[in-house]
Amino acid sequence: MRRVPGVLVVEDEPAIAELISVNLRHNGFRPVWAMDSATAQAELDAVLPDVILLDWMLPGESGLTLAKRWRAHPRTKAVPIIMITARGDEVDRVAGLDAGADDYIAKPFSTKELLARIRAVLRRRAPERDEGQVTVGDLCLDAATYRVTFQGQPLKLGPTEFKLLHYLMTHAERVHSRSQLLDKVWGDHVFIEERTVDVHVKRLREALGEAGQMVETVRGAGYRLTAQALLVKSA
């Protein structure tokens, strides 16, 4: 039997939550509604969903606070989060992405677009399977076991950062524009802004620690992964 993906809908407006839930059920998802931060945390503690739809403005803790906490916790770190809010300015979108959201959709939105975004983050959640390892300098990625190490030490990456690193490592030393990365890593880039790439590159560098220097910004062109950066530093 095909598994039905679970979606935690964290939304304090009943009418909007019901509209989202009905459309999710009709399109093969299993929605669970939480109207505030406390209920949302209780639902997460009970069962991990496949995706979280998270409203920014909530009673109690804000969606932004919840996103930061869930992204920092080992148990919920890998669960995709789509932020839903009426705050559509660039500064708010950036704040949502920086807090840990994988995507951001501003109200009002069409249910078709929301469903497309959910399907997109679910596809991105699982990296491309590639038996064997990819190694660049002391950085090693094993797509089959979902492991990344640097100088033999394990690193923890979120699903999007893992897929981004996988692409950069399999195309090392090449410069990739933001639009190219959106196309190759995200796929459904029609729904995602180029600024998203910058946010995830920042997260990737932070997760890589010292190896983050290997992800270079090429001014006016994009990003490149190279082992030369560490060689230059150690010289």
Side-chain angles (χ1 to χ4, degrees):
M1 180 179 292
R2 185 175 71 89
R3 180 178 174 276
V4 179
V7 181
L8 176 60
V9 182
V10 188
E11 168 62 63
D12 65 326
E13 296 186 37
I16 295 178
E18 180 61 23
L19 177 63
I20 292 174
S21 297
V22 167
N23 280 277
L24 287 173
R25 281 192 291 269
H26 287 173
N27 286 274
F29 296 96
R30 178 175 47 81
V32 174
W33 177 38
M35 68 178 300
D36 54 36
S37 58
T39 307
Q41 187 63 58
E43 293 290 351
L44 269 185
D45 290 343
V47 179
L48 277 184
D50 294 280
V51 183
I52 299 171
L53 300 182
L54 180 59
D55 190 17
W56 183 311
M57 304 299 292
L58 292 169
E61 294 178 291
S62 71
L64 208 62
T65 299
L66 291 175
K68 290 178 180 178
R69 184 167 75 233
W70 293 339
R71 192 57 75 221
H73 195 283
R75 182 171 178 268
T76 52
K77 182 177 182 179
V79 180
I81 298 172
I82 300 177
M83 189 79 76
I84 300 176
T85 176
R87 306 172 68 136
D89 292 339
E90 181 183 13
V91 65
D92 295 320
R93 293 197 300 271
V94 171
L97 293 169
D98 279 341
D102 295 272
D103 201 355
Y104 190 109
I105 183 168
K107 299 176 182 178
F109 53 83
S110 73
T111 52
K112 287 184 178 180
E113 180 182 359
L114 178 61
L115 290 166
R117 288 175 182 267
I118 292 172
R119 295 186 185 106
V121 296
L122 285 174
R123 284 194 296 273
R124 299 199 302 269
R125 186 183 191 189
E128 296 175 354
R129 306 305 282 182
D130 182 14
E131 300 302 323
Q133 298 181 341
V134 184
T135 301
V136 178
D138 292 328
L139 187 63
C140 181
L141 180 148
D142 190 332
T145 60
Y146 204 87
R147 290 193 176 98
V148 178
T149 60
F150 178 65
Q151 297 179 344
Q153 298 301 310
L155 302 173
K156 294 185 180 296
L157 274 68
T160 303
E161 287 72 44
F162 185 94
K163 191 170 184 180
L164 176 59
L165 179 63
H166 181 264
Y167 181 77
L168 289 173
M169 290 184 68
T170 53
H171 301 82
E173 304 299 337
R174 304 179 192 176
V175 179
H176 308 278
S177 68
R178 290 171 177 80
S179 62
Q180 287 173 330
L181 290 173
L182 283 173
D183 185 43
K184 299 298 184 180
V185 178
W186 278 262
D188 286 338
H189 58 283
V190 65
F191 295 123
I192 302 173
E193 298 179 359
E194 290 190 359
R195 168 64 178 167
T196 301
V197 176
D198 299 331
V199 172
H200 284 286
V201 167
K202 177 184 175 184
R203 284 193 210 163
L204 175 59
R205 285 172 172 155
E206 292 172 348
L208 291 177
E210 184 182 351
Q213 301 170 68
M214 297 173 67
V215 183
E216 293 186 334
T217 299
V218 181
R219 187 178 296 275
Y223 295 103
R224 168 178 58 207
L225 186 134
T226 175
Q228 299 302 313
L230 289 176
L231 292 175
V232 170
K233 182 182 178 183
S234 61

